């Protein structure tokens, strides 16, 4: 059985496009508000303090162990909202499709969007589909924007870390990038690991109910290193972490050694680093560990008074190295 | 003087990306909230009934008479919000850049985004930048999502047209697509016309202050034909229009004749078609005509009780033809 394929006409705004929407997009996503085919969704927001974000996804390949571009597009945006302490509520979905993509692949990606939207308790309320010629995109690119409500009195920001805060991560670092690279063509060394891609809204809720969380960041592109540097710079503090306390799977560590990579630079898609108030840190950590996405949570360091923007890493040899902002020459199209 | 170009490292989430953001993106957009570099923008919305939409832009070429992909990305999304009767407030901006794009071109596009955001009174509050390899995109693709507030008691929807309503458009049809096609390589026949690309929020406000507007649509891809078919189908009514009343510039009409195109199928980016309450139609039309974006507004037909979803066009020969939904084999990448 051959699958139908995307043609330029499917992006033309006419009946062929409607056919694509009605045959594949609407039924697969299963969101009634999309069927209404309005120019914009009209929504009631339960609050006026909102978090609003956007992210595009160009990951290659589009299917990888533990996820796919659709799951990534939901989780990536949901997580950005959660990092502001918001409850994620709504997503928009912008598709750029390459001529020749099969309906079957598109359906699989959208089914993943639908599944993970339900898991993350968000609704896809608006969308857009564009088609470009063969060779003008690489199968499918997805943009999601997201909207969430920030509960009253909640104040979480990358600028919120203060000296004394305890730094925690919710589990193993580097799984996502190691997984994507391992299944990429031309990569000699593989590691048997799944992407950690997951929606973190529920975990963040649980953490905030347990205690004061001052700053949150999900270490995606640029890895934990970039997140720590950003927190140190934005909050005007020094970050101190101990290399030995940062959870990295054996396989991922070996993968990094063979390829000459630093695990702290690997992208994650279901991890967060939090600066929790010193007095609440144990309760926050306990809440994390009793959540499925935080079982392997660990304290990795603390915030100190020191040079603003500095990240100091205690090495296994008990010396200190200063972390530099990664320059970005790492592997492209990880998310 | 040669311009810097985008490299894969500019998409890596590290210092090179920061350099791109701080050197080009933030200063050109000039939105302080972006400099904060949070994962999501935290915003206060003046109301809880909101309109929310998304649109991706892949127009080719990216600069054309009367506009560019940046202007289009602002106006397209602002207009989708306005079509729900909302006051557009916030945009997100997702960039997919092809390796090798010059900083100069990017800066020009972003300056246009900044300019038209100010014109449309919206703020770009969140963004994302991805870079893909040369050949995996065509210079630059932009996604914008938009958020607006729907004033209390306002109810505008593509499903809102009722028999008796008067159909009005705010000016000449087809200018955008004729302009883009005319400057596309390989096109033999040119027309000296500028794209109508414009933000319609102010015009829609003025119309709604003047009288009851039941349904609104901006005829982009698929043209006026698709908008009328959608209104007829969604509202469960018949739409009757007179070909001779639909404003089309002489040059655009000639362009269509030479190329065998129907002006009703051409995409517009600064036009709307409205179903206004019969009793208020004159006032709505007057309000349109006294607005710079509605000087050439015209009544083109009305909503009647008839077969649901039917669009009947009175031809210059006084016969009727039924409009079919365009199938979408028109020209790709018009927006």
């Amino acid at each position: 059985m051959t699958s139908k394929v995307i043609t330029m006409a499917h992006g033309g705004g006419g009946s062929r496009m409607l056919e694509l929407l009605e045959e594949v997009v609407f039924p697969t996503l299963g969101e009634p508000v999309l069927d209404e085919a309005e120019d914009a969704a009209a929504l009631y927001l339960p609050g006026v303090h909102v978090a609003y974000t956007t992210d595009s996804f160009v990951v290659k390949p589009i299917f990888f162990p533990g996820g796919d571009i659709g799951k990534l597009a939901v989780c990536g945006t949901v997580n950005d909202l959660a990092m502001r302490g918001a409850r994620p509520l709504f997503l928009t979905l912008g598709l750029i499709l390459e001529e020749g993509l099969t309906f079957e692949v598109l359906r699989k990606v959208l089914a993943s969007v639908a599944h993970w939207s339900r898991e993350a308790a968000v609704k896809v309320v608006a969308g857009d589909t564009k088609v470009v010629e063969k060779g003008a995109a690489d199968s499918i690119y997805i943009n999601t924007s997201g909207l969430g409500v920030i509960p009253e009195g909640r104040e979480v920001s990358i600028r919120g870390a203060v000296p004394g805060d305890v730094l925690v991560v919710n589990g193993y670092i580097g799984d996502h990038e190691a997984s994507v690279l391992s299944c990429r063509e031309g990569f000699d060394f593989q590691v048997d690991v799944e992407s950690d891609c997951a929606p973190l809204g529920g975990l963040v809720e649980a953490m905030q109910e347990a205690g004061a969380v001052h700053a949150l960041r999900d270490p995606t592109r640029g890895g934990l290193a970039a997140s720590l540097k950003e927190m140190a710079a934005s909050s005007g503090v020094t970050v101190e972490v101990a290399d030995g306390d940062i959870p990295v799977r054996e396989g991922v560590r070996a993968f990094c050694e063979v390829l000459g990579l630093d695990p702290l630079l690997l992208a994650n898609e279901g991890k967060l680093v939090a600066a929790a108030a010193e007095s609440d840190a144990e309760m926050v950590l306990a809440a994390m560990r009793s959540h499925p996405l935080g079982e392997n949570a660990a304290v990795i360091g603390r915030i100190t008074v020191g040079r603003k923007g500095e990240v100091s890493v205690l090495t296994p040899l008990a010396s200190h190295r200063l972390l530099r902002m990664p320059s970005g020459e790492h592997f492209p199209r990880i998310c």
Side-chain angles (χ1 to χ4, degrees), chain A:
Chain A
M1 197 193 79
T2 57
S3 173
K4 287 192 190 176
V5 302
I6 298 289
T7 63
M8 294 309 292
H10 285 118
S15 61
R16 295 296 298 280
M17 182 152 179
L18 217 57
E19 183 190 302
L20 172 70
L21 294 176
E22 287 174 356
E23 193 174 313
V24 181
V25 181
F26 296 162
T28 313
L29 290 175
E31 296 281 5
V33 64
L34 292 177
D35 298 349
E36 293 174 9
E38 299 274 4
D39 276 329
L43 308 163
Y44 282 96
L45 276 183
V48 294
H49 193 201
V50 302
Y52 186 25
T53 191
T54 188
D55 225 336
S56 297
F57 299 87
V58 298
V59 67
K60 178 181 176 176
I62 60 172
F63 300 101
F64 48 83
D68 59 77
I69 192 170
K71 180 180 181 184
L72 208 53
V74 172
C75 297
T77 290
V78 159
N79 293 350
D80 279 346
L81 295 174
M83 295 308 117
R84 292 307 299 268
R87 292 191 185 121
L89 290 176
F90 301 114
L91 297 183
T92 63
L93 185 72
L95 303 172
I96 295 180
L97 309 177
E98 185 189 15
E99 182 186 15
L101 181 76
T102 65
F103 275 33
E104 195 187 337
V105 166
L106 178 59
R107 203 175 272 122
K108 210 169 148 189
V109 168
L110 292 177
S112 178
V113 168
H115 175 83
W116 289 101
S117 297
R118 282 192 300 272
E119 284 290 315
V122 291
K123 281 185 181 301
V124 177
V125 294
D128 177 62
T129 304
K130 292 289 186 301
V131 178
V132 296
E133 309 89 328
K134 207 163 179 60
D138 193 357
S139 72
I140 178 170
Y141 298 149
I142 300 183
N143 174 283
T144 41
S145 80
L147 194 55
V149 165
I150 302 175
E152 218 178 303
R154 202 171 272 183
E155 192 77 56
V156 186
S157 158
I158 189 71
R159 292 170 298 156
V162 294
D165 283 357
V166 175
L167 281 173
V168 287
V169 296
N170 63 318
Y172 294 108
I173 289 298
D175 293 1
H176 174 72
E177 185 156 349
S179 155
V180 170
L181 291 179
S182 280
C183 66
R184 200 176 271 184
E185 265 180 61
F187 247 79
D188 288 341
F189 189 81
Q190 274 94 40
V191 55
D192 186 21
V193 66
E194 291 203 341
S195 164
D196 60 347
C197 185
L200 296 172
L203 174 67
V204 169
E205 273 303 311
M207 289 167 66
Q208 290 184 118
E209 277 165 24
V213 176
H214 294 152
L216 282 170
R217 194 71 151 191
D218 56 335
T220 57
R221 281 181 297 175
L224 186 60
S227 289
L228 294 177
K229 282 296 282 182
E230 286 158 2
M231 194 180 285
S234 295
S235 296
V237 294
T238 285
V239 166
E240 289 184 11
V241 293
D243 218 356
D245 293 337
I246 299 171
V248 181
R249 289 182 204 279
E250 264 321 298
V252 172
R253 200 176 288 281
F255 177 83
C256 283
E257 272 164 20
V258 168
L259 295 167
L261 302 175
D262 181 348
L264 298 195
L265 297 186
L266 295 185
N268 311 273
E269 291 291 344
K271 290 297 170 319
L272 58 80
V273 54
E278 194 170 11
S279 54
D280 296 357
E282 273 190 41
M283 288 179 304
V284 170
L285 187 67
M288 290 169 84
R289 286 189 174 150
S290 50
H291 190 282
L293 294 174
E295 283 171 0
N296 300 301
V299 171
I300 62 164
R302 58 196 303 131
I303 305 292
T304 62
V305 191
R307 286 209 195 175
K308 290 178 183 179
E310 207 166 271
V311 178
S312 168
V313 182
L314 179 67
T315 70
L317 304 171
S319 66
H320 288 267
R321 66 177 171 112
L322 286 185
L323 213 59
R324 288 193 318 162
M325 187 70 174
S327 79
E329 70 279 10
H330 236 219
F331 301 97
R333 297 182 58 189
I334 285 301
C335 60

